[in-house]
Amino acid sequence: MKSKKVIRRKELAATISLLLAAYPAAYLQAQDVDQDVSDDSAGDELVTEEVIVTGIRRGLLNSIDIKESSTSIVEAISAEEIGKLPDISITDSLARLPGVTAQRLNGRSQVLSVRGLGPDFTTALLNGRPQVSSGDNRGVEFDQYPSEMISAAVVYKTPNAKLMGQGLAGTVDLQTIRPLEYGKQALAANARYVWNDISALNDDAPDDGWRGSFTYVDQFNDDTLGIAIGIAHADTPTQSERYNAWGYPEGPESAAVIGGSKPFAQSNTLERTGIIGTLEWAPKDTFRTSLDLYYTDFQEKQVLRGIEFPLWWSSAQLQDGYTINDGLVTQGTFGNVKGVMRNDVNDRNSELFAAGWNMQFDLNDKWILATDLSYSKMERDDILLETYSGTGPNGEGATDNLSFQMRPGQGALFSSVLDYTDPNLIFLTSPQGWGGDIVPGGQLGYNNSPSIEDELTVFDVRAEYAVGGDWLSSVEFGLNYQTREKGKIADEFFLALASGSNIAPLPTPTGFTNLSFIGIPGMVTYDPLAAIADGTYALTRNPNADVVIKSWVVEEDLTTAFVMVNFDTDVGNTMVYGNFGVQVVDTDQSSFAESASGTGSDTALVAVTGGDDFIGWLPSLNLTFDFGNNNLLRFAYARTLARARMDQMRASLEWSFDSSKSDSTDINNSPWGGSGGNPALRPWIANAFDISFEKYLEEGIGYLSLAAFYKDLDTW
């Protein structure tokens, strides 16, 4: 008789990619569960085969497995295969998880909020290691991480004692591929073409781009040596039409009226290249070591063109014949309008480098020892450049009669009598005379060029002892040391003409920008960066106190000792498992900056330092009750912290003295005043309680969960 082959399918999907070359041919065929398949081979043996899932379902099952097997309350994502998370950055992928939302900047997701708390309360790890940030604060900007480089990510809503760098709201651990754990050779590549439905709003900006990635994973020397190498590049444009009103002050007949308008046609171009490399070596079962390298080059350019119209809050006059509806001037005409034509550019260039070296020793059946050394550094340089042009200097040149009509939800629609696309009508100048106290006749723009450097070194040593008791399974303890230095340098300049004049012809026009979304046909444009490079502009440094105090250095040394007990027992017919433990964190923080007062050559500077040293205790408990049939009830308690923003920990201070109040004895009317940072700021501390019921469905097809949390802010 013919034999039967019964294929019991655990998971099944199909995928077409370069990865197919790395899989055995048997993976390419599968039948339904318990389907009889003819086999001409001799014998009556019953053969059971397992079919391995790939594709989207595999990624979903991995995510469910991570959530179910964790002793903490977590959410997780897992790539279906190498490089298969579809989003531009990992932020979009994480934002799909329950309780996690993304905050967007310039059309892309950048930072995360967990459980409704701001990004300042969430921390980020890369392969379990704390990371630096490209922002002024300590919060990680996740758009630095290409999704193609991440194999999985876990959001810890409840921490445990061995989790370093935990946040008050949550902790996000990004994970790259482990080549020995992956266990097979793989070569993956993908490419995507990117375009916008809205064509480029500025003639010198692109409206299309591309994304691509390449990853290679392999094992050698009898699977004791593994490597993973990957690169991902994104060149993505976005377009946006922006409308901003200056405000609506009280105008004629006590009705509100538009004070001014600042619209922009904005074109963004983001170029980001990410590179990863992992080397794993496990020469024997009792020793394993790995080296992780990560690099990202991030370049973003924003081109913003528009005409800023000073209206009620200027020398312009509202003409008779306006219309008032419900206390708002909804239409009318302003005469003597002097528009400020803006050709602005924002450039950001940042580089992130991270490295980590881990070693694990299985000393015997009871003891495991692990060490980890990591380093990460971020360097960021910005150019925030605004430049002005118009029909002539303040008080000179043609003025406009500007009609307007207020549109619900869309701002004002204008109608102009001047042709702002005429290069013979428009000049480099200061149409409103802004900044005349520094630049005679008024500044022609402003260049704000801050730079940030963030450097973090972490050393971690920990051990685990397997107790093997009736309820006590193991004890983990260790020591973690982190030293971090973050500094900002503020460079700000007023723009004037190098010739010393207050008016000059436009540089060579680059084209025109369509402003029809506000009713203006368009405006002539030029390249302001080229005008700086060719010497058209002279830059005068802003020496004022409010700029000086924006430069600072903050240093932190954190020493954390932890102990955590893992337990697993039965209470009646219910399995109970989890952990409890405590972290003891010693903090030594300091800042160096300058205190300043005054403006121009009268600015006074005083070097200042400050800081604090304190110890905190962070206990935690995670309990899971397994009632059987894939029903889990989780309870957690933790004392959590979020460290103060670094830009608020700066030592710098702007102070002033009002001599007219020098004789005052009223503390509320003191002649002295000041504002600035505080290097002695303590962290936010919260006592957090969580409960979650989770029902995992058969065959791994999904789960249902109901969760609640309560956070009691102890300090703020």
Side-chain angles (χ1 to χ4, degrees), residues 92-138:
D92 292 304
S93 300
L94 290 167
R96 296 190 180 95
L97 295 173
V100 182
T101 56
Q103 295 186 12
R104 304 184 71 83
L105 175 70
N106 299 322
R108 69 179 185 277
S109 299
Q110 184 185 54
V111 294
L112 292 175
S113 295
V114 177
R115 288 177 160 176
L117 295 173
D120 293 340
F121 298 98
T122 299
T123 59
L125 313 174
L126 180 63
N127 293 321
R129 302 170 177 123
Q131 295 297 294
V132 293
S133 166
S134 62
D136 292 1
N137 186 24
R138 63 179 77 245

Side-chain angles (χ1 to χ4, degrees), residues 358-646:
N358 180 273
M359 292 190 294
Q360 180 175 309
F361 306 85
D362 296 349
L363 302 180
N364 51 44
D365 292 341
K366 295 287 188 179
W367 285 95
I368 298 175
L369 176 67
T371 63
D372 194 273
L373 177 64
S374 65
Y375 172 82
S376 59
K377 183 177 182 179
M378 170 69 75
E379 294 181 339
R380 189 198 88 200
D381 295 297
D382 287 351
I383 297 176
L384 309 175
L385 175 64
E386 57 183 65
T387 64
Y388 310 149
S389 57
T391 59
N394 185 32
E396 303 177 25
T399 59
D400 202 353
N401 285 333
L402 195 68
S403 300
F404 69 96
Q405 180 178 352
M406 304 304 299
R407 301 170 295 174
Q410 301 182 63
L413 184 69
F414 297 106
S415 177
S416 169
V417 300
L418 293 182
D419 181 6
Y420 291 99
T421 65
D422 184 358
N424 297 314
L425 178 67
I426 308 302
F427 303 89
L428 293 182
T429 189
S430 180
Q432 291 287 330
W434 296 337
D437 56 333
I438 301 294
V439 178
Q443 68 195 56
L444 273 71
Y446 199 75
N447 184 8
N448 181 6
S449 299
S451 60
I452 287 279
E453 185 172 303
D454 195 357
E455 196 168 9
L456 172 64
T457 302
V458 183
F459 177 71
D460 185 282
V461 58
R462 57 186 61 198
E464 181 177 1
Y465 176 69
V467 178
D470 292 338
W471 68 276
L472 185 60
S473 57
S474 66
V475 177
E476 299 180 63
F477 55 91
L479 191 69
N480 180 280
Y481 174 74
Q482 302 180 27
T483 179
R484 183 174 187 175
E485 179 179 305
K486 185 161 191 167
K488 179 178 182 179
I489 298 176
D491 273 335
E492 300 187 19
F493 304 88
F494 297 97
L495 266 62
L497 289 171
S499 64
S501 175
N502 62 358
I503 186 171
L506 286 181
T508 303
T510 57
F512 304 94
T513 292
N514 188 334
L515 299 176
S516 59
F517 72 99
I518 60 163
I520 304 297
M523 61 174 282
V524 63
T525 61
Y526 56 89
D527 185 351
L529 291 175
I532 290 179
D534 66 18
T536 299
Y537 291 116
L539 277 63
T540 302
R541 184 179 298 276
N542 187 337
N544 298 339
D546 63 330
V547 174
V548 172
I549 66 168
K550 295 178 184 178
S551 298
W552 46 266
V553 174
V554 172
E555 295 181 353
E556 285 182 335
D557 290 325
L558 309 177
T559 304
T560 303
F562 78 90
V563 60
M564 188 176 78
V565 176
N566 299 298
F567 57 88
D568 185 347
T569 188
D570 292 324
V571 179
N573 295 324
T574 302
M575 180 186 296
V576 182
Y577 58 91
N579 56 69
F580 61 88
V582 65
Q583 289 185 359
V584 182
V585 186
D586 179 84
T587 301
D588 185 1
Q589 62 189 41
S590 59
S591 176
F592 311 89
E594 285 188 304
S595 178
S597 181
T599 59
S601 59
D602 295 329
T603 302
L605 305 176
V606 179
V608 288
T609 62
D612 199 4
D613 190 351
F614 53 91
I615 295 177
W617 295 73
L618 303 176
S620 62
L621 167 69
N622 289 279
L623 276 174
T624 299
F625 300 87
D626 187 342
F627 298 108
N629 296 320
N630 299 319
N631 295 309
L632 303 181
L633 177 66
R634 303 186 192 271
F635 172 79
Y637 161 76
R639 186 170 173 84
T640 58
L641 67 78
R643 299 193 177 278
R645 291 175 56 100
M646 281 189 152

